Amino acid sequence: MKVQILSRKLIAPSSPTPPNLKNLKISCFDQLAPPTYVPCVFYYPANGEDHGGNNVERSKKIEKSLALFYPLGGRYIEGNLSIECSDEGAEYLEARVSGSLSQLLEREEFKTEMWSRLVPRVLQPENSPLVTIQINMFECGGLVIGTCVAHRIADAYTVGTFINTWAIACRIGIEKVHCRPSFPFGSLFPPKNIPAITSVDDLISVRAVKKVVRKSFEFKVNMRGKTTLTMPEYACGNFINLVIAQFVPDDESKIELHDCVNRVHDAIRSAIEDCAKASSGDELFSLMIKKMREGDEAWRKSEIDGYIVNSWCRLPWYETDFGWGKPSWVHGVDAATSPGTVTLMDTEDGGGIEAFLGLDESSTLLFQQNLDVALTGN
């Protein structure tokens, strides 16, 4: 399938940003986010009456409603740890895609091949648009919306909130959206002077190989509460074994899956309890810095394989209705380009979890060899 960029423009806010809102400080917690983007892709199949023409009008509505959010038209200034709300605009691309969307969704090799081509790629957020949107119009009338939002200003929850509000503005009209977003986090938890801390993401990238093999698979829960694994024939993966590998006991004895799950659960619970004990934002921030430094030190001393697991579950991705129905498929694309990255999302019906992975070739081979073990336990 060929993706051809038809146009590229900047979408400024619907009204000029007032002088008192021109500078928006990021929070001290946003300081810790990596200088990357949070990408997400939404797929909208054509209905029976669509033959591609409606997408032009849809794109106009999407473009108009994007002008609702004034900070997203600004630029991040690293030296000031702030967003300069300059009204330069979010970047908006329109693209034509040959072939049909149904063909892409039905063939797994097309899915993984197209992941990174349906979303715009921006390397660094500083002095670049904070938000970049790519509207992909298929010949059949199907539509795919690819979004990229700077991680400095948004995590997955914030991105989901932004996209759903944007969809509502498109569906009912920007003038009817009376509940406008506010951005108080930077004033509640102002940025701080802190020494540089290498994130695990950066360290994994240093160890990573150039070639990334992209895979996806799906966990479903049947009526008896047992988990089954559904995968395309070409794809393979044993995400469970990856997690287990990080919890091998000192005596190198085999660890069972339920032991691994218990350890992960206990670690999450301990972290939440520690955060709950913090009596102020400063204390909570200090705790986070301490944990990051400990992780940094432990990682540098080890030779274990590391995998970053992002959970985007229980967020309303499949409620994103711009006015022509809800998406049939939604996914992030971190795993498309980043070795050692796993993103988990709910399936469309809510009855399972879909995992998107970016693996190096040796890990892919290991997954293939252990797939039967993952499925049967033998």
Side-chain angles (χ1 to χ4, degrees), residues 26-338:
I26 67 169
S27 74
C28 55
F29 302 107
D30 294 323
Q31 278 181 265
L32 304 178
T36 57
Y37 281 75
V38 182
C40 200
V41 189
F42 299 79
Y43 296 75
Y44 297 89
N47 59 41
E49 301 176 355
D50 283 338
H51 298 285
N54 287 343
N55 282 337
V56 176
E57 293 302 316
R58 289 172 176 173
S59 182
K60 290 179 180 178
K61 291 183 64 178
I62 293 172
E63 177 183 331
K64 180 180 178 181
S65 56
L66 183 61
L68 177 64
F69 309 92
Y70 76 88
L72 302 185
R75 297 294 183 268
Y76 176 66
I77 309 300
E78 178 72 34
N80 295 334
L81 296 174
S82 66
I83 300 169
E84 191 68 28
C85 301
S86 54
D87 297 344
E88 292 181 60
E91 190 171 36
Y92 190 84
L93 291 76
E94 290 181 314
R96 179 189 294 122
V97 185
S98 61
S100 69
L101 181 55
S102 60
Q103 182 184 22
L104 183 151
L105 294 175
E106 289 169 2
R107 296 184 60 180
E108 296 297 335
E109 64 269 26
F110 281 176
K111 283 185 180 181
T112 53
E113 176 191 345
M114 295 292 289
W115 275 357
S116 57
R117 296 167 60 190
L118 298 175
V119 63
R121 303 302 296 179
V122 188
L123 297 179
Q124 294 290 338
E126 186 170 11
N127 297 323
S128 298
L130 296 174
V131 174
T132 304
I133 307 296
Q134 183 171 318
I135 306 299
N136 303 280
M137 298 176 283
F138 283 71
E139 293 174 347
C140 64
L143 190 71
V144 174
I145 301 176
T147 66
C148 264
V149 183
H151 205 337
R152 288 290 195 196
I153 65 167
D155 56 11
Y157 178 85
T158 308
V159 170
T161 301
F162 152 62
I163 292 176
N164 269 279
T165 306
W166 173 31
I168 293 172
C170 181
R171 189 170 69 245
I172 69 174
I174 192 172
E175 67 282 349
K176 295 181 181 179
V177 179
H178 302 298
C179 182
R180 301 300 175 97
S182 59
F183 309 94
F185 210 45
S187 58
L188 295 174
F189 305 100
K192 301 179 182 297
N193 293 321
I194 56 173
I197 300 176
T198 304
S199 69
V200 176
D201 306 61
D202 297 330
L203 290 168
I204 286 179
S205 297
V206 170
R207 295 184 185 180
V209 295
K210 292 182 179 179
K211 186 172 181 180
V212 181
V213 181
R214 293 166 290 186
K215 299 293 181 185
S216 68
F217 61 89
E218 187 175 302
F219 290 101
K220 291 205 172 192
V221 179
N222 63 27
M223 295 302 291
R224 296 182 180 180
K226 296 181 180 179
T227 301
T228 59
L229 184 62
T230 303
M231 304 180 68
E233 290 183 2
Y234 85 98
C236 56
N238 185 354
F239 167 67
I240 297 173
N241 277 357
L242 278 180
V243 178
I244 291 176
Q246 300 182 50
F247 292 95
V248 175
D250 294 335
D251 61 3
E252 298 186 357
S253 61
K254 183 178 179 181
I255 183 171
E256 299 295 333
L257 175 60
H258 66 272
D259 293 322
C260 171
V261 172
N262 288 336
R263 293 189 189 197
V264 173
H265 176 270
D266 290 345
I268 294 174
R269 182 177 60 184
S270 176
I272 293 174
E273 290 175 351
D274 288 344
C275 290
K277 295 175 183 177
S279 59
S280 66
D282 288 343
E283 187 175 340
L284 180 59
F285 182 75
S286 297
L287 175 64
M288 292 182 65
I289 292 294
K290 178 175 179 291
K291 294 295 184 183
M292 289 185 68
R293 284 176 176 158
E294 290 174 353
D296 182 10
E297 181 179 357
W299 180 262
R300 289 180 182 277
K301 292 179 179 179
S302 72
E303 292 297 329
I304 63 172
D305 293 331
Y307 296 84
I308 303 298
V309 181
N310 302 301
S311 176
W312 289 14
C313 298
R314 299 185 182 180
L315 295 175
W317 304 111
Y318 285 97
E319 299 300 315
T320 309
D321 183 358
F322 286 87
W324 46 87
K326 298 176 182 180
S328 64
W329 193 39
V330 182
H331 67 79
V333 293
D334 277 349
T337 56
S338 302

